[in-house]
Structure formats: C-alpha cells, structure tokens
Amino acid sequence: MLKKVHCVRLDGDKAELEDEIAEEVPLVIFVNGKHFSTAMISPQMREEFVTGHLFTEGIIDGPVDIESLKVESNTAKVLTRHSTTFLESRKVILSGCGSTSSFLDKKKLPKICSNLMLDRTMVLNAMKAVLRSDNFKRSGGFHSCGLFNESGAIIVVDDIGRHNALDKVIGFGLIRNLDLKDTFIATTGRISSDVALKCARANIPVIASKGAVTTLAVEIAENSGLTTAGFVRGNKMNIYSGGRIN
C-alpha cells in the first residue's frame, strides 16, 4: 500500500531523500463481458471492493448474485447469475468520487430496518480505532473506514478514496454473510449523499465521521432511517439525523 519514491525536501535547506507515499492502481471492472467502470483504488482487498461496489451501486443484491469473480492484475471479471442492466459504462471513477449517480428518487430510497442503539462512547471509541491507522501516519495519503458492532471493530480498512474504503468494508461484510443491520461505520471521510446512500442500501443504520456531513446526505438519511454523526472528535460529535446514538 506504500511505496518509496525519491523526492527533494525544501525546509530551509535542500535535501534529497526517500519518502513513502500511498500506492494508487486502476481496477478495470467488467460485468458479464461489458465494461462497468475503472476505479482508482489502493491495491488490497480487490474482491471485497468489487463485491461492495457492485452492491452499493445496485448492480447486484448480494454475493449470491455473483456466479464468478476473478481478479487478475488490474482487471476484475464478474459473471452474474442473472442478466444485469446499467445505462452506460461508468468510465473512470477517480479516487475521490464514488459513483456517477446524479438523481435520487426519495420514493425509491431504501429503508433501514434495525433495532441498533449505541452509547456515544461506542462511537467515540470506534473513531479512535479508525484514527490509529499506521498507513495514514506514515504517508498522510489514506482515508480509513471501519465496520463495527457493539463488541468492537470487525475490520478497519485504509484506501486512497473514502468511497473505496466504504465499499471494501461493506463487501467484507457481505462476503462473510454478516448481519449488517447490527453494525455501524466510522470513517475519516465526509458523509456525502453517495456515502449515505451506500449505507442505506447495505442496511447499515449508523455512520459517524471525523469530518463534515452534507445537506443531501442528511436528506437521504432522514428518508431512509440512517443516523449520521459528524465532527466526531475527542469527546464531541454532532448528530445530524436519526436517534440511534445516546
């Protein structure tokens, strides 16, 4: 995930040195022989990313819909058990962009079904776990995202893109048949509309971020039953939607 490269540091004096930076690779995804998208990701957990990404983009309803998934080098080839339709090739999804969706019908938003209730301490501790990322400390080039339950961390993932990291933890949960209605997300990335929608589609009832929350994310969250918490720092947080954190 990290590679050493040569650089010149200017800090009063001029010095040549080796620095560790985040590795970024393309992953070309084909679904039933048709190009679906090319995503720029960190190279680990490619199968989890593809599974989570296809699920949160509405191409599959779960891993059971995948007949085969083969990742070779920078190409992922997926065959589904049923025919799939998507309007057009998504071309290139940059590391900072999660999807090409630009229109949301409130009537078609997924509704979260969960009885999960969290004490704020659980959320604060989850954020502390996410912020312990060694990769971020060494390079400053990653977002971290964790999937948690009431017992603690299930998995924490680093990726150059916040959407990628979320797709990877969702894919991890789907592949292992975890009941996502009993889980929550802690992330370093802001909660935008597509991030909120990914959680709603996965039936994950709570997402907390070190960063900000956008207006459309709050609107989606309120209509789908998602609890959103932003600026989770120290012992503080702002709750923008939902009532699952006490």
Side-chain angles (χ1 to χ4, degrees):
M1 291 182 65
L2 293 169
K3 280 194 171 183
K4 288 187 176 181
V5 298
H6 177 266
C7 73
V8 176
R9 176 169 293 170
L10 302 178
D11 184 13
D13 295 325
K14 180 178 179 180
E16 295 191 13
L17 50 83
E18 296 289 309
D19 193 20
E20 288 185 309
I21 63 174
E23 186 178 3
E24 179 178 12
V25 299
L27 182 63
V28 185
I29 303 172
F30 291 90
V31 178
N32 296 332
K34 183 178 179 181
H35 178 251
F36 175 68
S37 66
T38 299
M40 300 302 176
I41 67 171
S42 297
Q44 91 289 4
M45 296 181 67
R46 301 185 199 206
E47 182 177 340
E48 286 85 352
F49 170 74
V50 173
T51 301
H53 185 60
L54 293 181
F55 175 80
T56 60
E57 289 297 304
I59 304 302
I60 61 172
D61 291 326
V64 69
D65 290 340
I66 297 177
E67 183 172 316
S68 67
L69 195 171
K70 296 180 180 179
V71 179
E72 297 179 355
S73 185
N74 292 330
T75 301
K77 296 180 180 179
V78 181
L79 293 179
T80 63
R81 299 187 187 279
H82 310 288
S83 61
T84 58
T85 57
F86 42 91
L87 295 178
E88 60 181 6
S89 169
R90 306 298 177 91
K91 297 184 180 178
V92 177
I93 299 176
L94 301 178
S95 56
C97 305
S99 72
T100 56
S101 301
S102 59
F103 176 78
L104 294 171
D105 186 343
K106 293 181 184 178
K107 296 179 181 178
K108 295 181 180 179
L109 285 174
K111 304 297 182 183
I112 293 172
C113 181
S114 172
N115 294 320
L116 183 70
M117 296 295 294
L118 298 173
D119 182 88
R120 70 188 70 180
T121 303
M122 296 179 186
V123 178
L124 295 171
N125 288 339
M127 189 58 63
K128 290 176 183 176
V130 165
L131 293 175
R132 283 195 288 265
S133 167
D134 183 60
N135 287 318
F136 178 80
K137 291 176 182 177
R138 290 165 62 185
S139 71
F142 293 92
H143 276 292
S144 298
C145 182
L147 183 68
F148 297 81
N149 59 22
E150 292 177 294
S151 298
I154 298 171
I155 187 171
V156 177
V157 172
D158 295 329
D159 195 280
I160 56 169
R162 58 195 173 93
H163 302 88
N164 299 344
L166 179 57
D167 280 338
K168 285 178 178 180
V169 299
I170 290 174
F172 178 93
L174 291 172
I175 290 171
R176 288 155 183 80
N177 200 31
L178 300 181
D179 196 344
L180 295 179
K181 70 178 175 60
D182 297 323
T183 67
F184 66 99
I185 294 289
T187 178
T188 58
R190 73 181 180 276
I191 304 173
S192 54
S193 57
D194 42 2
V195 167
L197 186 57
K198 286 176 185 289
C199 289
R201 283 177 172 159
N203 201 35
I204 295 174
V206 177
I207 181 169
S209 172
K210 177 188 175 184
V213 181
T214 69
T215 55
L216 188 52
V218 172
E219 188 175 339
I220 290 170
E222 289 175 340
N223 281 277
S224 62
L226 174 67
T227 293
T228 57
F231 300 108
V232 182
R233 303 174 184 182
N235 294 315
K236 300 178 181 179
M237 69 182 76
N238 294 345
I239 308 296
Y240 292 95
S241 64
R244 299 181 185 274
I245 302 174
N246 296 313

